[in-house]
Amino acid sequence: SAYSIMRLFFGLELTPSVKLSIEKWREINLPPLAGPVPAANFHITLAFLGTVPVHQQEALLAQADRLTNQAFNLTIDQMGYWPRPRTLWIGPSVVPVALNNLAGNLSAIAGRLGLPGENRDYVPHISLYRKQASNPPVCLMQPDISASFEQFCLFESRPGRQGVQYHVLARWPLDS
Ligand code: 2AM
């Protein structure tokens, strides 16, 4: 209906094998902590959109169609902790220009549609725990997980009885 809204974000999908590597690293290097994100939900947000009214969804897709961003590789090699959202995450210490450009272009699209933008600098990350109230324990080894990204996605975040689930609604290729 004209009133239906969806909670959306642009992001990078991780392959099952990368998700599994992250899950294994977490198991070995961190004790059980509060609010673990299930491995199936591991992803990298590019631009958060929030609730997008149906009448804006076509424009959103059309503007994403016009982007011509480059593919890139990432090495996930560091852990971080944000006390305010209580999020423990891992991410790349080196952020390729292509990734910054992509995230910047996507949040510009959000801005043009009047959707809530991010004021903070873009920090690519994979959230591992969402309810971690204090600094994480020092871990034995930093992660060292590489992945190549040849597309970006529009995700829908669906709340469910078993927690949130992410569904890819659309994919766009990155230029190699
Ligand atoms: P997080 O992993 O750092 O929590 C789906 O909810 C994705 O959008 C998550 O990756 C989440 O980031 C991000 N997200 C959720 N709410 C957000 C907000 N208000 N601002 C920015 N990003 C948000």
Side-chain angles (χ1 to χ4, degrees), residues 102-153:
L102 178 61
N105 290 346
L106 291 170
S107 56
I109 289 176
R112 284 197 294 275
L113 293 174
L115 300 168
E118 259 296 348
N119 292 321
R120 298 168 295 190
D121 281 345
Y122 178 64
V123 180
H125 66 280
I126 300 161
S127 295
L128 299 186
Y129 296 93
R130 295 190 183 281
K131 291 172 185 164
Q132 177 56 25
S134 60
N135 256 310
V138 173
C139 63
L140 192 60
M141 290 181 290
Q142 293 297 308
D144 183 15
I145 299 165
S146 293
S148 63
F149 295 92
E150 275 139 28
Q151 53 181 14
F152 70 93
C153 304

Side-chain angles (χ1 to χ4, degrees), residues 5 10 31 34 37-38 41 51 69 91 109 124 161:
I5 48 170
F10 287 111
V37 174
N41 283 359
T51 53
N69 287 91
I109 289 176
R161 217 166 300 167

Side-chain angles (χ1 to χ4, degrees), residues 7 9 43 45 48 82 87 118 120 125 127 130 157 166:
R7 195 175 165 83
F9 63 97
H43 69 277
T45 298
F48 181 71
W82 289 324
T87 301
E118 259 296 348
R120 298 168 295 190
H125 66 280
S127 295
R130 295 190 183 281
S157 172
Y166 301 129

Side-chain angles (χ1 to χ4, degrees), residues 74-120:
L74 292 180
T75 301
I76 307 299
D77 58 357
Q78 66 177 4
M79 192 168 76
Y81 173 65
W82 289 324
R84 210 171 18 156
R86 299 193 297 172
T87 301
L88 176 57
W89 51 269
I90 54 174
S93 61
V94 176
V95 180
V97 173
L99 171 54
N100 263 327
N101 289 344
L102 178 61
N105 290 346
L106 291 170
S107 56
I109 289 176
R112 284 197 294 275
L113 293 174
L115 300 168
E118 259 296 348
N119 292 321
R120 298 168 295 190

Side-chain angles (χ1 to χ4, degrees), residues 12-117:
L12 298 170
E13 201 176 19
L14 302 172
T15 62
S17 113
V18 168
K19 288 177 178 172
L20 193 59
S21 300
I22 294 170
E23 174 83 320
K24 281 185 177 159
W25 176 83
R26 178 168 69 171
E27 250 176 55
I28 293 167
N29 292 282
L30 292 169
L33 300 170
V37 174
N41 283 359
F42 292 160
H43 69 277
I44 298 175
T45 298
L46 290 164
F48 181 71
L49 302 168
T51 53
V52 180
V54 160
H55 73 269
Q56 286 189 311
Q57 288 171 16
E58 207 173 318
L60 186 71
L61 298 176
Q63 293 197 38
D65 283 346
R66 281 186 222 118
L67 296 183
T68 54
N69 287 91
Q70 295 292 313
F72 51 86
N73 300 314
L74 292 180
T75 301
I76 307 299
D77 58 357
Q78 66 177 4
M79 192 168 76
Y81 173 65
W82 289 324
R84 210 171 18 156
R86 299 193 297 172
T87 301
L88 176 57
W89 51 269
I90 54 174
S93 61
V94 176
V95 180
V97 173
L99 171 54
N100 263 327
N101 289 344
L102 178 61
N105 290 346
L106 291 170
S107 56
I109 289 176
R112 284 197 294 275
L113 293 174
L115 300 168

